[in-house]
Amino acid sequence: MAALGSPVRTLRALLRELRLACGQGGRPYRHAPAYRHVLAAFRAHRVTSEKLCRAQQELHFQAATYLCLLRSTREHAALHREYHGKGERSPEEVAGLVGFRLPQQPGGKG
């Protein structure tokens, strides 16, 4: 995996993906349990002057991994919607998809 970058950038990207994933229903995404959990985890693991968090890198890695999962799932669903088969097609339509034309039948058929 490439460099993780800053935790704030990862958090923002993670919340954006959660908004895209959870915002489909009628309720706002900020009421989703996943949204509240991610914010609470990042707040609990931030480095302050009073304590040094040893699990910060671990949390950042887990957040980046979860971000990758959410992003990949969303992109997979978009590709699936775009390229999934629409049912059986006629031979003429299939030939047109790949840039061919079917030969004409003699006698005006086809």
Side-chain angles (χ1 to χ4, degrees):
M1 184 176 216
L4 292 176
S6 77
V8 173
R9 192 172 188 168
T10 303
L11 174 64
R12 286 181 180 167
L14 187 58
L15 294 179
R16 183 181 329 116
E17 289 296 327
L18 282 173
R19 183 179 69 234
L20 292 172
C22 298
Q24 303 297 329
R27 348 186 303 196
Y29 68 96
R30 291 181 187 223
H31 297 308
Y35 180 85
R36 289 182 294 199
H37 174 72
V38 166
L39 279 181
F42 265 87
R43 285 182 184 136
H45 288 83
R46 70 177 164 212
V47 176
T48 63
S49 59
E50 290 86 26
K51 71 174 190 175
L52 175 65
C53 177
R54 293 192 177 140
Q56 182 187 20
Q57 293 297 331
E58 179 183 346
L59 175 76
H60 190 191
F61 181 76
Q62 286 178 352
T65 305
Y66 189 54
L67 171 63
C68 182
L69 171 74
L70 287 174
R71 187 176 289 153
S72 299
T73 303
R74 179 179 49 85
E75 290 173 359
H76 173 267
L79 287 172
H80 189 269
R81 280 192 304 272
E82 185 173 347
Y83 293 109
H84 186 66
K86 308 277 191 283
E88 191 155 341
R89 297 180 173 162
S90 67
E92 292 84 11
E93 188 179 359
V94 172
L97 284 174
V98 294
F100 295 123
R101 290 185 319 176
L102 292 178
Q104 297 294 323
Q105 295 284 334
K109 296 180 181 177

